[in-house]
Amino acid sequence: MENKPKLIYILPNLFTAGSAFLGVISIIASVNGQYGKAIIYIVLSLVLDGLDGRVARLTKTTSKFGVEFDSLADLVAFGVAPAMLFYFSIGHYFGRFGSLLAAVFVVFGAIRLARFNIMTGTYEPNVFIGLPIPSAAIVCAFWVGIYTSYDFMHGFEWIFIFIVGGLSVLMVSNVRYPSFKKVDFKRANYIKALVMLVLVFSMLYLYPLESATALITLYVIYGIIRAVWAICFAKNIKFINKDNE
């Protein structure tokens, strides 16, 4: 009975270790040209990454070690793994520039994780400052999946330069993204939410890769549009204030 708390303490870190392990397996799959498997391993890493924090909070076993371990695992699973997937599937066509872009994705992902760790608790919990590295990884992985699934995408490899480069910049930007960690269920319209969820899951059932890619891409674009709108709105307020003066 005395060892029970220690076992519970290990549990969330076990999910984190599993996420890092799948990240390494994804890298190996990318090296072997098994891009579909590499994408699946990244998605499974995302699932485990989502579970470790929740398990830690439920069992009240959060720790500084767990936070640092989670960041290191995220860098492998959502930094190195998608970067290698991009490079071996598309990036190698661009030579040294492709390898540079893959490296920048990893480095900016590391900066994003470090900034998140030191800024946690300094801003509202319902937003992320900068695109979260798991979101960037999933966008990168799913678009590679679209590329490998549709022949008409071949010849448009240059588009992925903008995708990976844009994701890298967004991770270290000040663009705000909703975190969905604290949803006010009391104010939610259950009927509308249910209808939307049914529609979303229906599309995911019919077109899993395409629908998932569209959803996560819209999430990224939403943050950009929101940031541009906020800048323009702030400028309009300044102009109005000057006119009133």
Side-chain angles (χ1 to χ4, degrees):
M1 295 296 292
E2 294 179 358
N3 293 328
K4 187 176 180 180
K6 294 182 180 179
L7 293 175
I8 293 176
Y9 179 83
I10 292 172
L11 186 60
N13 294 316
L14 190 62
F15 284 103
T16 304
S19 178
F21 173 80
L22 289 172
V24 174
I25 299 301
S26 174
I27 294 169
I28 295 173
S30 295
V31 173
N32 293 329
Q34 299 173 324
Y35 306 128
K37 288 184 178 180
I39 294 170
I40 291 173
Y41 290 136
I42 291 174
V43 172
L44 291 176
S45 294
L46 180 67
V47 173
L48 292 181
D49 180 65
L51 288 174
D52 62 2
R54 283 165 176 77
V55 170
R57 287 190 290 272
L58 286 173
T59 57
K60 297 181 180 180
T61 55
T62 55
S63 64
K64 187 176 180 181
F65 171 82
V67 172
E68 298 301 326
F69 186 30
D70 183 67
S71 293
L72 293 172
D74 285 354
L75 185 60
V76 174
F78 309 125
V80 181
M84 292 301 97
L85 174 62
F86 159 73
Y87 178 77
F88 285 106
S89 62
I90 301 169
H92 68 276
Y93 291 122
F94 299 93
R96 295 177 66 181
F97 184 73
S99 59
L100 172 65
L101 199 58
V104 167
F105 185 90
V106 177
V107 173
F108 280 16
I111 294 173
R112 171 68 178 84
L113 290 168
R115 187 176 69 168
F116 174 79
N117 287 344
I118 64 174
M119 289 183 64
T120 299
T122 62
Y123 54 87
E124 58 264 45
N126 60 332
V127 298
F128 292 118
I129 305 298
L131 181 67
I133 188 172
S135 300
I138 291 298
V139 172
C140 179
F142 283 177
W143 273 106
V144 170
I146 294 293
Y147 173 82
T148 57
S149 299
Y150 293 96
D151 292 336
F152 72 85
M153 290 293 294
H154 297 181
F156 293 95
E157 288 82 4
W158 58 271
I159 294 176
F160 291 85
I161 295 297
F162 292 98
I163 292 175
V164 176
L167 292 173
S168 301
V169 173
L170 285 172
M171 282 192 288
V172 295
S173 70
N174 290 322
V175 176
R176 293 172 177 259
Y177 284 92
S179 68
F180 305 112
K181 286 184 178 180
K182 292 188 177 182
V183 180
D184 190 354
F185 291 102
K186 293 181 180 179
R187 297 177 62 183
N189 188 314
Y190 294 106
I191 300 299
K192 289 183 179 179
L194 178 61
V195 171
M196 289 298 297
L197 286 174
V198 169
L199 291 174
V200 168
F201 283 117
S202 297
M203 293 303 297
L204 288 171
Y205 173 74
L206 293 173
Y207 309 101
L209 177 61
E210 296 82 357
S211 299
T213 304
L215 287 173
I216 191 65
T217 302
L218 286 173
Y219 175 76
V220 175
I221 294 173
Y222 167 78
I224 298 172
I225 294 175
R226 181 182 179 185
V228 172
W229 176 266
I231 293 172
C232 294
F233 187 70
K235 287 182 177 179
N236 290 335
I237 291 178
K238 289 181 180 179
F239 287 139
I240 292 171
N241 291 335
K242 287 182 179 179
D243 291 339
N244 290 335
E245 291 176 358

